[in-house]
Amino acid sequence: MKIYAAKDYNDLSRKAANIISAQVILKPNAVLGLATGSTPVGAYKQMIEWHKKGDLDFSRVRSVNLDEYKGLSGDHDQSYRYFMNHNLFDHVNIDKANTNVPNGLAEDPAAECRRYDQVIRDMGGIDLQLLGIGGNGHIGFNEPCDVFEKGTHVVTLTEETRKSNARFFSSIDEVPTHALTMGIQGIMSAGKILLLASGEAKAKAVYDSCFGPVVPGVPASVLQLHRDVIVIADEAALTLVRENEKWGGQIYDN
Ligand code: GLP
């Protein structure tokens, strides 16, 4: 795991966009594992800009998103399909037929989860998985629990996650109670993982995930077992790592 300090959110976004773009340049038909939440929005904006300048071609890129709220249709403005269209896909030359987000309205959610894992296998796995992190250490919607759930599954969202995501809805009652999320095996089988963290609210999750014990109570801690993980975090998110002399020196500064 390599941890890079970003000067601020813009710097974090540019660094992340550079790494994702490098993947697309090296393998034009790359499978990108994509994430939602506010953290990756700046990286998506930067990639849109580079695409518009003619420097980045998504025509052969394939994508698979981490998760979707159960019960929301793709055109609901808080669904993750809508988020991806709005924040990236509508502005670049990706073929939407090559983009995948779990179907939040599937009549048989368990079958939809199995289908989703098959989609990932059929694409030959994920080349680069982008991740944000929840304040409780969740990745995708893999919430803290007793076991690492392997495959795509339906999850009950914690109150903490629903409260935190309520800022995007008009009230907490509108935040769905369940979601479909790629499992830990899907995430861990990606060739490369890029985790982004911004803001002090993520400082404990970053510290525990990078240096704490590998336990399902902190889902992102499993990333310590992956051989190619890049963490890009701003100073606020690195506060606890910096404070701990033992680990503070592990950061690549710039
Ligand atoms: C949601 C998503 C996660 C994301 C997290 C953090 O719960 N399912 O994939 O990492 O939010 O969001 P933010 O980046 O807005 O803090």
Side-chain angles (χ1 to χ4, degrees), residues 90-102:
D90 285 343
H91 311 286
V92 297
N93 64 336
I94 199 164
D95 180 350
K96 284 224 186 107
N98 291 333
T99 67
N100 297 279
V101 181

Side-chain angles (χ1 to χ4, degrees), residues 42-213:
Y44 293 154
K45 276 199 181 121
Q46 181 64 81
M47 290 194 292
I48 292 167
E49 206 180 304
W50 287 336
H51 165 71
K52 293 206 160 131
K53 279 188 183 157
D55 289 336
L56 197 53
D57 176 17
F58 288 87
S59 59
R60 294 171 59 203
V61 168
R62 296 162 294 159
S63 75
V64 55
N65 257 80
L66 282 166
D67 46 12
E68 179 60 282
Y69 286 114
K70 184 167 177 285
L72 296 195
S73 80
D75 45 26
H76 186 289
D77 65 1
Q78 289 311 325
S79 75
Y80 285 169
R81 161 54 76 181
Y82 183 96
F83 175 102
M84 288 312 300
N85 288 346
H86 191 71
N87 286 292
L88 184 65
F89 299 153
D90 285 343
H91 311 286
V92 297
N93 64 336
I94 199 164
D95 180 350
K96 284 224 186 107
N98 291 333
T99 67
N100 297 279
V101 181
N103 176 6
L105 286 187
E107 269 180 34
D108 180 347
E112 171 60 6
C113 292
R114 288 193 297 275
R115 182 195 72 80
Y116 206 67
D117 284 335
Q118 191 59 46
V119 165
I120 300 171
R121 277 194 293 273
D122 289 348
M123 290 194 299
I126 297 164
D127 291 298
L128 171 66
Q129 177 65 55
L130 177 63
L131 295 175
I133 187 167
N136 60 4
H138 76 226
I139 43 178
F141 268 135
N142 289 275
E143 295 279 38
C145 64
D146 296 336
V147 291
F148 289 115
E149 287 272 358
K150 290 188 273 188
T152 300
H153 58 286
V154 177
V155 65
T156 305
L157 300 178
T158 61
E159 267 321 286
E160 185 182 348
T161 296
R162 291 186 66 237
K163 268 189 203 142
S164 153
N165 291 359
R167 66 201 143 116
F168 302 114
F169 292 81
S170 33
S171 82
I172 187 156
D173 300 334
E174 286 181 21
V175 183
T177 53
H178 293 78
L180 282 70
T181 183
M182 200 190 284
I184 294 298
Q185 191 173 43
I187 294 171
M188 289 292 281
S189 42
K192 190 186 241 335
I193 296 178
L194 172 60
L195 181 131
L196 307 179
S198 171
E200 200 160 358
K202 304 295 172 68
K204 182 157 176 19
V206 168
Y207 180 77
D208 290 347
S209 303
C210 297
F211 301 108

